[in-house]
Amino acid sequence: MSHQHLSPEVEDYLEHLYMRQHEGYTGELPALSDRGMGELLRHHLAVLEDGGVTLTQDGLAKAERAVRRHRLAERLLHDVIDVHGRDVDHAACEFEHSLHHGVDEHICTLLGHPKTCPHGRAIPPGPCCREQKRAADAAIAPLSTMKKDERGTIAYLSSRQPETVQKLMALGALPGAAVHVIQLFPSVVFQVGQTQIAVDSALAGDIYVRRAGER
Amino acid sequence: MTTLPRLPRPTAPTAPTAKDPCPCAEPARASGHPLLAIIGCPNVGKSVIFNRLTGAYVTVSNYPGTTVEVSRGHTTVGGCAVEVVDTPGMYALLPITEEEAVARRLLLEEHPRQVLHVVDAKNLQRMLPMTLQLLEADLPVTLALNMLDEAEELGFRFDAAELGRALGIPVLGTAGASGRGIAELRAALGAAMTARAECAEYNSAAPVCAEGDSATPVGGVCITYDARIERAVGAIIALIGRPAALAERALALLLLQGDAEIEALVAARASPAALAQVRAIVAETAAQFAQPLRIVIALRRQAVANDIIARTVQAPAEQQRPKLEWLSQLLMHPLAGLPVVALVLYFGIYQFVGMFGAGTLVGLLEENLFGGIINPWLTSVIEGWLPPLWSNLFVGEYGIFTLGITYAVAIVLPIVGLFFLVFSLMEDSGYLPRLAMLIDRIFKQIGLNGRAVIPLVLGFGCDTMATMTTRVLETRRERIIVTLLLALAIPCSAQSGVFLGMLSQVGPAALGIYVAVIVLIFLTVGLLAAKVLPGQRPHFYIELPPLRLPRISNVLVKTYTRLEWYFIEVLPLFILASVLLWLGSLTLQGGQLAFVPHAGLFGAIERALDPLAALIGLPTTADVAQNPALKFTGGTILLTGFFRRDFGAAGLADLFADGLLSPVQVVVSAVTFTLFLPCIAQFLVMKKERGLRTALGMAAFVLIISFGAGALLRVMLMATGWMGR
Ligand SMILES: Nc1nc2c(ncn2[C@@H]2O[C@H](COP(=O)(O)OP(=O)(O)O)[C@@H](O)[C@H]2O)c(=O)[nH]1
Ligand SMILES: [Zn+2]
Ligand SMILES: [Zn+2]
Ligand SMILES: [Zn+2]
């Protein structure tokens, strides 16, 4: 993707096109000057069809990033700077346009890769979010795939039998509890708190653990 | 949202007077004594504390309408007689198993004056949430931090007074096994149950709920859940009020967690419209969370517990390994563990129960004590008093004393007693769960999981008792498979003691064939049952308690209780068997009623059973007529064996001792009678636990397999001519 800067006017227009095409937005599109329209068409971001404007592939990608920047800006203003109400919209519209060159990635990481803006709309994930998810997936593994003597913290229990989950929790195997794998065969044995529990490998596959030493 | 007023605790602050030393008589209870209920997770030492409090006089009975056993006893606390009940283990107020349901029903229906929650101190973190739950339910709780010795050794330090203030209830450290802290516990219970001044301190502890907090303050703590849950709780309370002995808030929370029993309780009192509304609220609230509500609620309660613990408990700096960890790992090792199983079976069961119990002890008791002293003396006395017809009822061939009581006391008692001793040792040392985790993979093949090892091992002691413990299994499918395997392929100790003795005298080949056939049938039937019976495979999970050196007193008490139960169950049947055998041997001789063995009704049945006896090559009535040295026909053994399997085994041993059985006959009959129909006591328990139809079906199946296998084995052995003919 090239680094040419679009004018704020065009970015806003793209955002609204995106929302209309992907989020069922039915309101007005912002006014766009002839210069702006020229910019849009020159960069092949949109085409004129049946008297309407439609995003191209390239335009869609640009629009998505613009939406992302806008909503990240909202999150930043709302969560960190504590701006509320209508002020968020205005300030975000000013702010978003300066979040280029990967600054949005830094903000996103700083905010912990938020999934929604303060209004509850989805923030399209950026490369940083996808990277984080991959890392998180690798760090969380079923207990059955861990090694003997490995340590970690229970992330979640995925068993479809709520009663089994309840029993495991009563034995201390709660999300957040530190675990220590003692043995893997013939049954998986692990320690949580001061309790040792033996489970079969199927159940051990339902206990997801955040391995120690990984983030 | 309104702040709920704290409900007054049901205490009667009447001062004790000299005439009425018990300030706590409770007219609501039939016994007139207020109730102290001991509750807590399994294996935290409830029974030990119960025994410490109550002493020797304890009754064990089934909870009404269930097969779950509950022990009750009496004691005096604070100068006041109270009834104490030891409940089955319970992990949370939201029950999963029948045992947990019983424990909760007891809390709901019997209105205990005081609830003693016993926890394992080193595991306080995971057990404190249940204390909070009890407080939420507005039950009057005292908390015992038991196993304090173990916790302190791991480096835990408890500020019980501070914890007591935080919870607003009396908290005491105890070590039930050594008796430490029991006197203080008794004093605290006395104070709480008689509502003396001492406990006012706790009752008046000001709750610390924030202004506008919707939660009921619980002692000193305030458990507020997610706002959406609190809203639902408020709405449900408005609809249902207080239909049971638990606080509204606790009921509403249980309803939110999908508690069917509480829902039924509400359905009985509230209008259908209100119930429908409650259901709608529950569904709506559940839809708002990604996780089931029971988990959301449990996590919150845990967070509150963690908070309290952080203030009152000093935990060891790092995770501690238990004391005997190396031994524990050895026992659980996939390779090293198996020889240990073999050693335990060889020394614990074969040598101790089989050789020492069935051999030495039975020899001493049966031959020397009963055969040499008691029975001759009784016979001479009774024959002096009564005519032969009646004396035979008491001291004849099938006499109540000479057969029934002699078999029960001299043959069965020592064998079963030693077995229960070994079993209690395995149980108290923590070995059984380790055996379960070792064997789980193999048991999965026969439709079971590792947990089934407990009833199956117990079956080697007494199949009847083991059938009752199939309740620890979670699915109906497992219970059926285990019940069938117990009825078919697990010889009880009295029986195996006798057979092992006979077979090892015939030779190692005989013993080998016997064991191979039984194991083969066990596995085949298990595999087939797992294929045929529908149902999902349950998960296996089991807590591995730390290995402990068993306390002899505790082991002896347990063994004694089991033996007492066994004896009460068995002795009447042995006496009944004697009476029936006597009745069946009555016949008319010269116009007079007389007692003649192998005649009368019993003789007729023996003749009817001749084809079965011939099938497995045992003596028939014709053989007995030819050779008077033969005391029993195969039919006699079958018939007596149905009263008690061990009874039949004893009959075979009698024939064998007189040199009247060939090697083939010994192997074939040992196989057949091991597989054969369970004794009548076991059949009755099967009927009670599994229903008449299932029990009859199993009995028919066992009959066919046992005689089929016996006949087939006989044909094969005869054809090869390997063991003679
Ligand atoms: N070290 C130690 N062991 C205990 C203590 N109390 C009970 N035990 C042991 O813990 C095991 C379980 O006790 P039990 O009373 O049967 O538990 P229940 O299932 O809660 O009734 C037994 O082996 C007891 O000997 C204690 O205070 N300290
Ligand atoms: Zn904008
Ligand atoms: Zn927004
Ligand atoms: Zn991101």
Side-chain angles (χ1 to χ4, degrees), chain B residues 107 164 597 671:
Chain B
L107 289 181
V671 164

Side-chain angles (χ1 to χ4, degrees), chain A residues 64-138:
Chain A
E64 196 176 81
R65 296 210 71 173
V67 169
R68 172 173 157 77
R69 282 194 296 273
H70 178 98
R71 293 181 184 167
L72 277 175
E74 286 180 344
R75 267 260 82 99
L76 181 72
L77 292 164
H78 183 271
D79 295 359
V80 180
I81 309 179
D82 214 20
V83 183
H84 289 285
R86 287 199 61 81
D87 297 345
V88 171
D89 299 340
H90 291 299
C93 276
E94 298 301 311
F95 198 34
E96 60 171 298
H97 307 295
S98 45
L99 299 183
H100 287 290
H101 293 305
V103 177
D104 57 335
E105 304 290 274
H106 290 301
I107 302 274
C108 188
T109 306
L110 176 80
L111 295 174
H113 311 281
K115 299 220 157 31
T116 57
C117 77
H119 308 93
R121 293 190 207 110
I123 300 177
C128 63
C129 307
R130 285 186 279 268
E131 178 54 38
Q132 188 266 347
K133 192 168 175 329
R134 246 196 314 279
D137 288 349

Side-chain angles (χ1 to χ4, degrees), chain B residues 380-398:
Chain B
S380 67
V381 170
I382 291 181
E383 281 181 347
W385 279 350
L386 296 169
L389 175 67
W390 289 104
S391 69
N392 267 306
L393 174 59
F394 298 101
V395 292
E397 188 148 5
Y398 308 132

Side-chain angles (χ1 to χ4, degrees), chain B residues 4-263:
Chain B
L4 291 162
R6 184 168 156 74
L7 290 153
R9 295 209 178 273
T11 44
T14 42
T17 63
K19 254 197 241 145
D20 173 23
C22 177
C24 43
E26 199 125 322
R29 291 188 52 74
S31 72
H33 298 307
L35 184 69
L36 168 65
I38 303 182
I39 70 161
C41 293
N43 282 315
V44 294
K46 292 184 299 299
S47 308
V48 172
I49 288 189
F50 173 81
N51 290 332
R52 290 261 173 207
L53 287 177
T54 57
Y57 301 102
V58 168
T59 54
V60 180
S61 61
N62 283 357
Y63 197 73
T66 69
T67 48
V68 178
E69 271 161 10
V70 171
S71 317
R72 291 172 195 271
H74 282 89
T75 189
T76 313
V77 296
C80 157
V82 300
E83 184 182 334
V84 190
V85 56
D86 184 15
T87 63
M90 169 159 78
Y91 283 103
L93 216 46
L94 182 65
I96 293 178
T97 61
E98 193 190 7
E99 320 225 315
E100 285 181 293
V102 164
R104 190 178 73 178
R105 206 170 319 148
L106 209 144
L107 289 181
L108 276 174
E109 291 170 1
E110 298 202 14
H111 306 283
R113 168 67 66 89
Q114 191 71 21
V115 174
L116 175 61
H117 185 203
V118 180
V119 299
D120 171 0
K122 65 181 173 303
N123 281 311
L124 181 64
Q125 187 164 18
R126 72 173 162 96
M127 297 185 179
L128 192 59
M130 177 146 119
T131 316
L132 297 177
Q133 227 176 337
L134 295 170
L135 292 173
E136 248 175 1
D138 207 31
L139 291 163
V141 183
T142 296
L143 179 64
L145 305 174
N146 195 37
M147 305 208 175
L148 200 57
D149 51 331
E150 285 187 355
E152 288 183 343
E153 198 172 300
L154 288 169
F156 283 93
R157 295 292 175 270
F158 300 89
D159 186 342
E162 185 57 39
L163 185 55
R165 269 188 295 277
L167 295 168
I169 55 171
V171 175
L172 293 108
T174 58
S178 65
R180 178 179 154 197
I182 297 295
E184 292 83 349
L185 177 65
R186 193 186 284 275
L189 288 170
M193 292 185 78
T194 55
R196 292 232 180 93
E198 289 97 301
C199 50
E201 177 196 341
Y202 295 106
N203 288 337
S204 67
V208 286
C209 282
E211 193 69 28
D213 224 328
S214 62
T216 311
V218 157
V221 277
C222 182
I223 313 171
T224 325
Y225 297 91
D226 184 286
R228 289 164 288 184
I229 292 180
E230 288 297 341
R231 224 173 296 133
V233 166
I236 293 175
I237 290 175
L239 283 165
I240 61 165
R242 186 174 188 167
L246 297 182
E248 299 91 329
R249 184 174 168 76
L251 289 176
L253 284 166
L254 288 170
L255 284 169
L256 278 173
Q257 295 172 77
D259 189 315
E261 199 179 330
I262 298 291
E263 205 186 280

Side-chain angles (χ1 to χ4, degrees), chain A residues 146-198:
Chain A
M146 291 175 70
K147 289 188 264 317
K148 186 170 153 56
D149 267 332
E150 215 182 318
R151 286 167 196 271
T153 318
I154 295 183
Y156 55 94
L157 307 168
S158 84
S159 171
R160 255 149 277 132
Q161 298 175 353
E163 309 204 319
T164 307
V165 172
Q166 192 188 331
K167 267 283 158 64
L168 282 175
M169 290 190 9
L171 291 176
L174 294 144
V179 287
H180 173 190
V181 180
I182 291 175
Q183 178 174 334
L184 292 163
F185 188 88
S187 300
V188 179
V189 179
F190 62 98
Q191 181 161 348
V192 282
Q194 299 302 323
T195 306
Q196 291 192 358
I197 307 171

